[in-house]
Amino acid sequence: MDIGIVGLGLIGGSFAKAYKAAGHFVYAHDTDKSILEFAFLSGAADAPLDADSLRRCSLVLIALYPHAAIDFLNEMGQYIQPDAMVIDCCGTKKKICAVGFQAAERNGFTFVGGHPMAGIEQSGFKYSKANLFKGASMIIVPPVYDDILFFDEIKQLLAPAGFGRLTITTAEKHDAIIAFTSQMAHLVSNAFIKSPTGLEYKGFHAGSYKDLTRVAWLNERMWTELFLENRDNLLHELDILLASLQKYRDALCNDDFSGLQALLHEGKRLKEEVGR
């Protein structure tokens, strides 16, 4: 199978390596020519992805920031072959899916919104690896929801990446849930680390500190774009968190032992309900 990968960062680079390892021919594009050349030299990709080679690809994976992904679809959609499937990998779905479905209808290919739920603190092709997606969930926003054969086709096309499951949802539900499960975690971690006490943490930290601050080290340009694109959902979750934190603060200010214990018990109980 000939596949095209647009963007050779952590996600795109890992897809390239996974599909190459599975024996497929990989066309790749990245605005950083040095990264693109390194991908060719290291064997992660075979040839440049351009207007001509796009016409040969059965699968096109777009691993760009949302605005850049939208630009690619608008500018290069006309060169994608009608029977190809295009899957984006953006962290928000409403805008990219709206543009993608329109581009697909206009040009004849099939567009599917996608979000691989895998990653590490580091970003860039340097840290990409063929097994990054092994066992992970791939969130899918399809154009239709009642075609089992179509879902099986998506599953087969993505098989070389090694995902453990496909999660089917709508763009709206994806963005609402991801604001809580991903974006809030990054926002809270990034804000938490700003305490002046953080400069004196060495020798005083254990697993809880590492867990809470792991994603404070992030790609600020990408996350700024994602936060602002999903700001309504993120603001909703942030307001809930601030209201909860105020309850803890009030209990501490009032030296309210039973109140604070009840709040802690409630959090523990909810964690037990949602699981690990």
Side-chain angles (χ1 to χ4, degrees):
M1 176 172 62
D2 290 353
I3 84 156
I5 296 181
V6 189
L8 288 176
L10 175 68
I11 299 299
S14 295
F15 270 123
K17 292 176 180 178
Y19 279 85
K20 273 296 293 177
H24 299 287
F25 193 93
V26 176
Y27 292 99
H29 171 75
D30 196 277
T31 55
D32 188 330
K33 301 305 178 185
S34 64
I35 294 296
L36 191 61
E37 187 63 28
F38 184 74
F40 296 145
L41 290 174
S42 65
D46 297 293
L49 181 68
D50 53 25
D52 183 57
S53 57
L54 260 177
R55 296 186 175 96
R56 306 188 191 112
C57 296
S58 301
L59 172 65
V60 179
L61 297 168
I62 306 175
L64 301 172
Y65 299 168
H67 292 167
I70 287 171
D71 290 342
F72 176 84
L73 284 167
N74 286 331
E75 295 169 10
M76 302 298 288
Q78 60 184 311
Y79 302 111
I80 300 173
Q81 63 171 313
D83 60 346
M85 185 175 295
V86 179
I87 303 177
D88 84 284
C89 303
C90 298
T92 52
K93 296 269 70 80
K94 282 180 65 177
K95 288 186 179 179
I96 186 65
C97 284
V99 172
F101 293 144
Q102 289 174 0
E105 184 176 357
R106 188 167 60 248
N107 297 291
F109 59 83
T110 300
F111 178 83
V112 174
H115 186 181
M117 300 307 294
I120 55 178
E121 297 92 321
Q122 295 88 354
S123 60
F125 182 80
K126 175 182 178 181
Y127 298 101
S128 62
K129 50 186 180 179
N131 65 350
L132 180 69
F133 309 112
K134 184 175 177 60
S137 174
M138 176 64 163
I139 301 177
I140 293 296
V141 178
V144 295
Y145 291 86
D146 57 355
D147 190 337
I148 295 177
L149 292 178
F150 178 59
F151 294 151
D152 187 64
E153 180 185 2
I154 297 173
K155 184 178 180 180
Q156 295 305 317
L157 286 171
L158 290 173
F163 289 106
R165 63 178 292 178
L166 297 184
T167 300
I168 311 298
T169 189
T170 65
E172 291 76 15
K173 185 174 181 180
H174 169 278
D175 288 359
I177 295 178
I178 217 71
F180 174 72
T181 62
S182 177
Q183 294 184 345
M184 276 294 288
H186 285 79
L187 188 151
V188 170
S189 180
N190 194 264
F192 175 82
I193 199 67
K194 293 179 180 178
S195 169
T197 310
L199 298 174
E200 304 174 17
Y201 79 92
K202 291 185 178 180
F204 292 85
H205 70 288
S208 57
Y209 174 84
K210 292 179 180 179
D211 290 344
L212 186 54
T213 60
R214 181 179 66 83
V215 292
W217 201 73
L218 45 67
N219 181 330
E220 62 271 20
R221 179 186 169 191
M222 180 185 75
W223 284 101
T224 296
E225 189 171 327
L226 293 173
F227 285 170
L228 291 176
E229 188 162 313
N230 201 29
R231 63 183 180 183
D232 289 345
N233 288 315
L234 189 55
L235 283 169
H236 172 71
E237 294 296 340
L238 186 57
D239 286 343
I240 292 173
L241 176 64
L242 291 173
S244 293
L245 289 175
Q246 186 61 52
K247 293 178 181 178
Y248 288 88
R249 191 180 193 284
D250 290 344
L252 288 167
C253 287
N254 297 326
D255 196 21
D256 183 357
F257 186 97
S258 61
L260 182 56
Q261 184 175 9
L263 288 169
L264 294 171
H265 177 74
E266 180 186 28
K268 176 184 175 181
R269 178 182 59 78
L270 288 171
K271 176 58 180 173
E272 289 174 348
E273 287 184 12
V274 301
R276 296 182 182 273

